Amino acid sequence: MLHIDWKKHVSGAFPPALLIAAILGAMLWHQHDSLEKVAERDRGTQMRLVGSLLGSSFDQAAKFSLSLAESFARNPQIREAAAVGDRARLEALAKDAYQYLNRQASVQIFGFHSRDLRYLLRMHRPDQYGDDISSFRAMVVAANRLRRAQTGVEIGIAGIGIRGVAPVEQAGELVGTWEAGLDIRPLLDLVKTSTNTEIAVLAAHSLSGVPLDPKLPAVGDLTVMASTNDSLFSGFLRAHPTKPLRDVEISTRRFDGRAYGVMAQPLVDFSGRLIGLTLVLKEEPNADWRRLMTELWVIALCGGIIAFVGFLVLARKRRQAA
């Protein structure tokens, strides 16, 4: 009966099988590293696309806000009423237009400021008027002093908005400024629909220069002024404290058992002053990623086992031939 020395067979097959397994492992590690770099590059590209779409939406909204403000500032009846400070007349002239624009175009802010920088008429808050806004409404101050239209993001008593402010003149004299502002939330929802991301506009108490609405979600120094998912961002900020930065930052974070691609970019007002940040979250397909990596490891393991068995058979045949 032929005696088989398994120890010799195994010792002969093990080194080359181990070498092949090591080569497969090195190839797998290289593939894993390559996939990580591709994923990081794709994440950055996708996040910058979201930032670009958001910026474009804000720019278009700013142009629309300014066109509304300028159209009312040039209305002869508005000019006449503004020149004499006739608040009731201004309200009657603007009422129908504001109700329509608020309903159809998300115009959140609409009103007139007198030449002495007091808010004479807020269509969005008609019972609140006559207050001095010179200390926190830099956009209105600039439009008043320079007698030129201004537009951009700014925080006021009514919250954050994309605003346009236009000077109102009568007989060549400045009599005040007219303002129109759009709600940011519909813009965020529009970008979310296009990119499948969650977006929040966050203001910092220490940078805003105006008291923020205490009813809005707040975590530390940051208040969620507008977002596509308030509860998600409130929880995320508690788990991952974030500060406004001057540069765009793209990273990954885990929260509530999920992995997210994260982009934080500075939020600046019309004058370039940092007032907070825009935060973008995009859930990453962890299940697909883990399945792919598991498949690669299984392939490497099977390759090592097959190589070991193959060399074991070859070693046995060689010994039998000898």
Side-chain angles (χ1 to χ4, degrees):
M1 184 175 179
L2 181 64
H3 175 70
I4 300 175
D5 191 345
W6 288 104
K7 288 185 179 181
K8 291 184 178 180
H9 287 324
V10 171
S11 62
F14 185 73
L18 182 61
L19 176 62
I20 290 178
I23 293 172
L24 288 172
M27 293 174 63
L28 178 61
W29 178 84
H30 177 72
Q31 183 70 11
H32 177 271
D33 186 59
S34 298
L35 289 173
E36 286 281 4
K37 290 180 180 178
V38 169
E40 184 178 354
R41 185 169 62 248
D42 288 347
R43 183 185 305 115
T45 300
Q46 291 174 10
M47 288 299 184
R48 288 186 178 87
L49 175 61
V50 175
S52 177
L53 290 174
L54 198 59
S56 178
S57 296
F58 280 15
D59 288 343
Q60 291 300 317
K63 292 177 182 177
F64 180 60
S65 295
L66 185 57
S67 67
L68 289 177
E70 289 188 319
S71 66
F72 268 75
R74 296 177 182 181
N75 184 299
Q77 294 178 298
I78 293 288
R79 289 178 173 180
E80 291 174 3
V84 296
D86 190 342
R87 183 176 176 280
R89 177 63 175 157
L90 287 171
E91 185 174 2
L93 290 170
K95 183 177 180 180
D96 290 343
Y98 171 68
Q99 289 178 347
Y100 176 80
L101 291 168
N102 178 257
R103 186 174 60 252
Q104 297 294 332
S106 299
V107 174
Q108 179 188 31
I109 301 157
F110 209 57
F112 174 75
H113 326 105
S114 61
R115 185 176 181 177
D116 61 352
L117 296 172
R118 293 185 178 275
Y119 220 132
L120 184 63
L121 172 67
R122 286 182 175 91
M123 291 303 299
H124 46 287
R125 289 186 179 181
D127 58 334
Q128 190 172 358
Y129 60 93
D131 51 315
D132 186 348
I133 59 173
S134 60
S135 63
F136 61 91
R137 290 300 314 280
M139 186 184 296
V140 178
V141 173
N144 186 294
R145 291 179 179 173
L146 300 175
R147 297 180 67 168
R148 289 202 304 267
Q150 307 290 329
T151 186
V153 175
E154 194 171 49
I155 299 175
I157 290 177
I160 194 166
I162 300 177
R163 307 173 186 241
V165 180
V168 181
E169 297 180 349
Q170 178 72 351
E173 293 292 327
L174 179 73
V175 296
T177 49
W178 194 276
E179 175 178 32
L182 296 184
D183 187 0
I184 285 181
R185 288 174 184 81
L187 302 177
L188 303 185
D189 290 335
L190 184 63
V191 176
K192 173 184 176 177
T193 301
S194 302
T195 61
N196 193 31
T197 55
E198 302 288 352
I199 309 166
V201 175
L202 310 171
H205 294 264
S206 57
L207 300 174
S208 63
V210 61
L212 303 178
D213 190 344
K215 292 181 289 187
L216 293 173
V219 179
D221 188 44
L222 296 177
T223 293
V224 182
M225 304 299 294
S227 82
T228 56
N229 189 331
D230 285 354
S231 61
L232 171 65
F233 284 100
S234 295
F236 183 86
L237 290 171
R238 290 188 185 94
H240 301 283
T242 306
K243 295 182 179 179
L245 300 172
R246 280 289 180 183
D247 298 317
V248 176
E249 184 179 273
I250 299 174
S251 60
T252 58
R253 295 284 188 275
R254 291 198 65 83
F255 170 67
D256 198 22
R258 297 182 177 90
Y260 290 91
V262 181
M263 180 176 71
Q265 61 181 20
L267 177 67
V268 298
D269 66 9
F270 86 106
S271 62
R273 182 171 62 97
L274 181 68
I275 58 175
L277 72 152
T278 303
L279 194 61
V280 178
L281 302 181
K282 184 177 179 63
E283 187 175 351
E284 298 195 334
N286 275 341
D288 293 341
W289 178 258
R290 285 196 299 267
R291 185 172 60 251
L292 176 59
M293 293 310 303
T294 300
E295 289 174 354
L296 290 174
W297 281 112
V298 168
I299 290 171
L301 179 61
C302 290
I305 293 172
I306 291 171
F308 176 75
V309 173
F311 280 108
L312 187 64
V313 171
L314 288 174
R316 179 181 178 184
K317 289 184 176 179
R318 288 178 180 177
R319 289 186 178 277
Q320 287 176 347

